[in-house]
Amino acid sequence: MADLYTPAPVQQEFHICTANEILLGGAAGPGKSLALLMDPIQTQLIGEHQRWQRGEIVESAGWALHLRREFPRLEQTIERAHRLFRQFDSGARWEAANHRYTFSCGYKVQFGHVKDDSDRFNYLSNEYTHIGWDELGEFQNKEVYDFINTRLRTSDHVLQQRLRIVAASNPTGNWVRDYFVDPAPTGRTLLSKTILLDDGSEEQRTRIFIPATLKDNPDPLFRRRYEIELQDKPPHIRRALLYGDWYVLPGAFFADEFEECHRCKPFPLPSGWKRFRSMDWGYKSPCVILWWAMDTD
C-alpha cells in the first residue's frame, strides 16, 4: 500500500482523525481530493480486506459513498480511482451502470451526486459506512448534507467503530464556513456538542476543520509551478486558493475591489436619512438583499 499511496503529513492527519465530521479545507493544491478518495481505503477497506483474508467475514458490509454536486465533476476522480483501486486489489470490479467499485472482500465505493436538493432522496433507506463530500462548499443547502449523513449506519460491530463523515472544500462563504470554520478559524480545534439520548444518557458529537495549503503538497516542483499560476491571479483569488482564506470569495465579481476603505463602524442613523432596499436574484447563487441609507449630502 505504501508504494501505491504515501500520505503527506496533512493527509495522514486527516486519515487518523477520529472526529465525527472532518473538513479538510482551504487552498488549492495540497492533495485534498486524493486524500478524500483514499480515505475509505485507509480507514476501512484495508481492515476489511484483512478480516476477509483471515476468514472472519464472508463479505464486507462496508460501503463508501463519494459525492459531488454534479456528476461530470467526478470524471477525473473516477479516472484516478481506476488507476489506484485496481493496483490495491486486482480483483476489484468496476460496475459502470452503478458508478461503483466492488473489491474482492465485498467492500464497495460508490460515486454519486446531488445536483438538485431533491436528489438527496435517491439515497433514502441506503446504508453507508463512509460518506465523503468532495468540494462541500458546492452544496448550497446544509439540509442536503444533514439528510444524507443520516444514512451513516451498519450492523457490523467492527465497522460501527470506524464510521466516517469526511469532506474537502476550497473556501466558500456559505454554511460550510459557518459550521466548520467560524467557530475556530485557525483550525485543528475539536468542536464538541452534547447529544441527549432517549434513555437519558449523553454522547459527544465532534467536528473539526483541518486547514491545508499548497505548502502541504510534498512535491516541490508541483508546488512551484502551481504557485506561479496562482500568484498571477487577482488578489482575492490568491488569498482564497493560494493561502486558504475563507473570508474572501474567489468567485465574487467585486471581491478584488472591496477593501477596508469601503467599510465603516456601525453608528446610529439620523432620522432624516432616506432608507431603502435593493435586491439581486443572483445568476447561479442565492440572491442578495441590501439595506441602504442615504445622507442629506
Side-chain angles (χ1 to χ4, degrees):
M1 186 65 180
D3 295 335
L4 173 64
Y5 170 65
T6 302
V10 74
Q11 293 171 325
Q12 182 65 10
E13 178 184 3
F14 175 66
H15 295 318
I16 66 175
C17 181
T18 59
N20 297 119
E21 300 169 79
I22 308 165
L23 173 67
L24 180 63
K32 301 189 302 297
S33 294
L34 177 58
L36 191 69
L37 177 65
M38 296 302 292
D39 193 69
I41 312 298
Q42 293 284 108
T43 61
Q44 292 183 354
L45 176 57
I46 292 177
E48 289 298 282
H49 196 75
Q50 293 170 345
R51 292 175 69 198
W52 175 70
Q53 288 180 321
R54 292 193 298 263
E56 297 174 7
I57 55 174
V58 176
E59 183 177 16
S60 172
W63 195 313
L65 177 63
H66 187 113
L67 289 166
R68 286 241 18 199
R69 176 71 183 274
E70 297 187 25
F71 196 81
R73 298 175 185 175
L74 281 167
E75 181 178 1
Q76 290 192 4
T77 300
I78 292 174
E79 284 299 316
R80 178 178 272 177
H82 290 335
R83 295 195 303 270
L84 293 173
F85 288 0
R86 287 170 180 153
Q87 291 183 57
F88 172 76
D89 179 3
S90 60
R93 306 186 311 278
W94 170 247
E95 303 168 48
N98 298 317
H99 314 297
R100 185 173 70 208
Y101 261 102
T102 301
F103 293 84
S104 297
C105 66
Y107 189 96
K108 296 174 176 61
V109 176
Q110 175 184 345
F111 297 92
H113 72 287
V114 189
K115 182 178 181 181
D116 300 311
D117 287 356
S118 60
D119 291 338
R120 69 186 186 273
F121 297 114
N122 295 336
Y123 303 94
L124 189 64
S125 298
N126 292 352
E127 294 186 3
Y128 302 105
T129 58
H130 188 289
I131 301 177
W133 300 83
D134 199 356
E135 289 301 340
L136 182 60
E138 294 179 350
F139 298 85
Q140 294 294 328
N141 192 342
K142 187 175 182 290
E143 185 178 352
V144 171
Y145 174 79
D146 289 337
F147 181 86
I148 292 182
N149 286 346
T150 65
R151 305 298 95 198
L152 189 76
R153 55 186 180 170
T154 182
S155 58
D156 185 289
H157 290 177
V158 174
L159 285 170
Q160 284 174 1
Q161 308 303 314
R162 301 176 182 174
L163 298 176
R164 303 271 289 177
I165 296 174
V166 294
S169 182
N170 287 326
T172 63
N174 60 10
W175 66 268
V176 177
R177 186 181 71 186
D178 297 341
Y179 187 62
F180 281 102
V181 181
D182 281 350
T186 59
R188 294 183 170 87
T189 298
L190 191 66
L191 305 171
S192 183
K193 178 182 180 181
T194 300
I195 305 297
L196 179 63
L197 303 181
D198 286 343
D199 64 4
S201 63
E202 295 180 350
E203 291 285 345
Q204 296 300 309
R205 178 86 181 174
T206 58
R207 67 185 188 275
I208 194 169
F209 160 53
I210 300 176
T213 68
L214 181 59
K215 293 180 180 179
D216 291 303
N217 191 300
D219 185 339
L221 181 60
F222 176 90
R223 290 199 307 268
R224 182 174 181 83
R225 304 306 298 180
Y226 197 35
E227 181 179 353
I228 292 172
E229 186 66 34
L230 294 177
Q231 289 284 15
D232 193 38
K233 298 298 180 286
H236 65 293
I237 294 180
R238 290 202 307 270
R239 286 170 56 188
L241 299 185
L242 182 57
Y243 302 116
D245 187 343
W246 282 81
Y247 296 91
V248 61
L249 303 182
F253 192 83
F254 292 110
D256 57 336
E257 304 293 340
F258 195 78
E259 300 293 345
E260 286 297 324
C261 64
H262 300 122
R263 308 176 188 180
C264 65
K265 294 181 179 180
F267 61 93
L269 297 179
S271 59
W273 286 17
K274 181 179 180 180
R275 308 183 192 197
F276 58 97
R277 287 173 292 179
S278 65
M279 176 179 178
D280 184 345
W281 282 106
Y283 180 57
K284 291 184 177 180
S285 298
C287 68
V288 60
I289 299 176
L290 301 174
W291 277 257
W292 302 84
M294 185 165 60
D295 65 22
T296 56
D297 190 18

